[in-house]
Amino acid sequence: MSKVHNFSAGPGILPLEVLKQSADACINFDNMNLSLLEISHRSKNYEAVMDESRSLVKELFEVGDDYEVLYLGGGASMQFAMVPYNLLTEAGHAAYVNTGVWASKAIKEAKIVGNTKVIASSEDKNFNYIPKGYEIPKNADYLHITSNNTIYGTQMKSFPKTDIPMVCDMSSDIFSRKINAKDFSLIYAGAQKNMGPAGSTMIMVKKDVLGKTGRKMLSMLDYNVHIKGGSMYNTPPVFPIYVTMLTLRWLKQHGGVAWIEKINQQKADLLYNEIDRNSQFVGTTAKEDRSNMNACFLLNKPEHEAEFDKLWKSANIDGIRGHRDVGGYRASMYNALPLESVQALVDVMKAFEQKFA
Ligand SMILES: *Cc1c(COP(=O)(O)O)cnc(C)c1O
């Protein structure tokens, strides 16, 4: 396999050893001489996969049995609806911070479920920074934030302090850095950015926030129903969960979040230093809020785009084209992306400067 430097924003890069093991399991899972894709999710062998996938999340987040872990279908977008449906009371209200496209979509769903207030927003500057210094209502049912804004390339470097339950969409930076997970009542993440393939979404929820809405709940949208069913109330996305388990195992075996955080910082420093140094590029976000996962940048002279594109393509780089809403370039540096790939991009940027400065 020729080496492609994969900067895709999502679904994103996975460790090669995980891909190989996953491929093997499609033919012969656990030496059963059966494919993982053709056995019952209730089989002993698959139950072990589900158990390990759930317990690895708690282990990596360092939380106890007051939390439950679920893997559900429907993507992170389904959680935009399930979160308010399960946490927002008839008489109460929810507080949201709007930091981009995904947060806006979460707000849209919450407004349909109940009283929803946007307490801070960075929409005034096309979401190129993280709002700070806003007041969090003490009586809201919960606060909803987005830790990393995949499209705009901003990231919360610290989290709000509040006594109300805090809910976070961590789809694009989960397990990329040390956080204090116990500060959150609910964390969710679509797996396909930083923890596995598309098709399953991880939800980690503190049990004490559930069951308070008074709402008559649809079963499939009720976290408690899924908790009671051990995340197998219905057939779970068996293969995505398996690949996620392997990815989390890979992370743990190499030294966990503390290990990857250092590498992620090295990658981000390498690229942002070049964006700032190089006369041909400019970053698009406030420096203090720059995402270590998704780096967005523009060419100073957009008329040279075709030449730049030719250079990075010939260096086996893929996936750095910016989101259609932002334009320019976006290099996503998820956990599985090696430092060498960032170096390859930086080398191309230097060569480009040589040619056009
Ligand atoms: C990609 C993404 C989503 C949407 O995920 P789906 O699984 O496609 O629904 C939500 N939030 C964030 C932060 C994302 O990066």
Side-chain angles (χ1 to χ4, degrees), residues 9 74-78 80 102-103 146 148-151 169-172 188 190-193 200-201 334:
S77 300
M78 178 67 104
F80 297 162
W102 301 119
T146 310
N148 185 73
N149 301 285
T150 327
I151 293 174
D169 176 358
M170 280 191 199
S171 293
S172 52
Y188 64 93
Q192 71 273 20
K193 309 287 174 32
S200 87
T201 304
Y334 296 127

Side-chain angles (χ1 to χ4, degrees), residues 52-337:
E52 188 176 342
S53 317
R54 296 171 84 198
S55 62
L56 276 167
V57 168
K58 282 167 68 165
E59 202 178 321
L60 290 164
F61 269 145
E62 299 175 7
V63 300
D65 289 338
D66 44 343
Y67 286 86
E68 287 281 354
V69 176
L70 300 172
Y71 287 94
L72 304 179
S77 300
M78 178 67 104
Q79 298 312 308
F80 297 162
M82 279 180 82
V83 163
Y85 188 71
N86 283 266
L87 301 186
L88 182 47
T89 60
E90 301 282 341
H93 73 278
Y96 277 70
V97 179
N98 188 4
T99 49
V101 168
W102 301 119
S104 303
K105 288 187 168 172
I107 291 163
K108 182 179 167 214
E109 300 305 297
K111 281 185 169 165
I112 294 170
V113 176
N115 190 356
T116 300
K117 291 180 184 153
V118 178
I119 59 162
S121 170
S122 49
E123 198 172 5
D124 57 333
K125 291 189 180 164
N126 198 29
F127 299 115
N128 73 359
Y129 70 103
I130 299 287
K132 295 166 197 83
Y134 47 87
E135 192 133 347
I136 301 164
K138 289 184 174 52
N139 59 348
D141 289 335
Y142 65 90
L143 169 70
H144 182 284
I145 57 173
T146 310
S147 53
N148 185 73
N149 301 285
T150 327
I151 293 174
Y152 298 94
T154 61
Q155 185 176 34
M156 288 185 168
K157 299 298 169 179
S158 62
F159 295 107
K161 296 259 170 295
T162 176
D163 292 329
I164 65 172
M166 191 150 60
V167 175
C168 188
D169 176 358
M170 280 191 199
S171 293
S172 52
D173 69 350
I174 189 165
F175 299 134
S176 69
R177 56 174 169 165
K178 280 270 195 195
I179 62 154
N180 192 359
K182 294 187 185 104
D183 289 345
F184 298 87
S185 292
L186 194 151
I187 290 170
Y188 64 93
Q192 71 273 20
K193 309 287 174 32
N194 208 30
M195 65 186 296
S200 87
T201 304
M202 192 289 298
I203 299 106
M204 187 179 83
V205 59
K206 202 170 175 187
K207 283 178 274 190
D208 67 0
V209 296
L210 298 176
K212 293 180 177 172
T213 63
R215 193 170 280 121
K216 202 165 177 197
M217 306 285 282
L218 291 162
S219 307
M220 274 299 283
L221 299 183
D222 187 343
Y223 290 132
N224 271 328
V225 167
H226 290 289
I227 289 170
K228 235 177 110 191
S231 202
M232 295 215 209
Y233 172 70
N234 69 322
T235 316
V238 289
F239 189 63
I241 294 169
Y242 176 71
V243 183
T244 299
M245 181 199 77
L246 294 180
T247 310
L248 297 181
R249 249 192 214 168
W250 166 86
L251 180 59
K252 181 184 156 181
Q253 280 165 0
H254 284 82
V257 180
W259 163 74
I260 204 70
E261 180 175 33
K262 273 199 209 114
I263 298 170
N264 286 337
Q265 192 60 50
Q266 287 172 347
K267 290 186 287 185
D269 287 345
L270 180 61
L271 182 54
Y272 284 118
N273 285 341
E274 181 60 18
I275 290 170
D276 291 341
R277 186 209 60 77
N278 193 309
S279 60
Q280 302 304 301
F281 298 93
V282 61
T284 59
T285 65
K287 282 191 183 176
E288 72 272 19
D289 302 324
R290 281 173 163 176
S291 166
N292 281 9
M293 294 282 100
N294 316 95
C296 295
F297 56 96
L298 301 169
L299 282 181
N300 269 329
K301 299 177 195 138
E303 64 271 24
H304 289 152
E305 197 176 289
E307 283 90 348
F308 181 56
D309 290 354
K310 226 166 82 190
L311 273 185
W312 58 260
K313 280 175 191 165
S314 68
N316 265 331
I317 287 169
D318 193 72
I320 66 165
R321 220 179 253 306
H323 188 272
R324 58 189 185 277
D325 291 351
V326 182
Y329 297 91
R330 169 176 54 171
S332 297
M333 300 175 280
Y334 296 127
N335 285 354
L337 185 87

